[in-house]
Amino acid sequence: MTPDQVLAEPRRGRAYWHTALTLAVLVAVACLARRHWPVLETGAVRLAVADQGWLLVAAAATLATWPCAALAQQGAVPHRLPRGRLVAAQFASSAANQMLPAGLGAGAVNLRFLMRCGLSLSGAATALAVKGTAGAVMRGALIAVLVTACPGVLHLPYVGAGHLLAGCAFTACAVAVLAGPLWGRCRPALAPVRTHIAAVHGRPARATALWGGSLAFVTLHCGVLVAVTRAVALPLAPARVALLYLAASTAAALLPTPGGLGSLDAALAFALTAVGAPGAAAASAVLGYRLLTVWLPLLPGLLVLAVLVRRRAL
């Protein structure tokens, strides 16, 4: 067996696992949709007669998400990237993300784009990791702020003293191992990452773009759902809707379906109905959000992806 075949085996196994999990989630969602079809049908009708002004606001917020993603990506790279192709790559990557699970589509498109812009494979991967980390940090910070502003919306599970002590002991052991024998081996590999992060944060404009773009991106997605709930006359406070969106999308990320297909829809609907929203209104809000952020941009995004590939921008 050749080295390439040896490397291909685990990749093939992961692909099979992702495919099986995706199919299982889609089958479960299809069963739920069939069971609750009258509610979904009523939600679609309600969306069709929704407030057009608020839907336009939601559409404008959706359009603004791609420049914000481009801004965050530029902030994660020390040297300047071509603006037009950068925004186009973010638009194309959002479409590619609907084809592969766990963000693999978007990651592959952005990796190829950064490499075409002159970054090495390790440099491009580091830039993507920096952008992803900044996005996760800003999402966590926004959740913390909204939890404080909206107490009682999220109910955290009770953690007993035994579980807490076990978690602390595990964390202490992990830190001891990482700080001991593994640190000497990991330090040379982490040196380029530290250099990259220092180069980005050594330029205030890049750091502002990275963190500001990451915050704006997640805030705009919250804004899209808030505007759609207003359009369908769902009586929930904007801060509460934003917190529910962040909680639902974070939970849906645990199921690596392409673009959160099925998992995010179910999590959002459950979150909205859990705080008292009528089933039809919640279905309308979820359908509107997914229509604007996924289904309408999908075909144009795939066309842009094809153009970028044809012009060797990816």
Side-chain angles (χ1 to χ4, degrees), residues 213-236:
S214 299
L215 177 61
F217 179 80
V218 66
T219 302
L220 282 168
H221 271 279
C222 294
V224 174
L225 184 60
V226 169
V228 173
T229 58
R230 293 296 185 187
V232 298
L234 189 58
L236 290 175

Side-chain angles (χ1 to χ4, degrees), residues 131-146:
K131 179 191 174 187
T133 302
V137 170
M138 297 311 296
R139 174 181 286 265
L142 192 56
I143 289 176
V145 170
L146 291 174

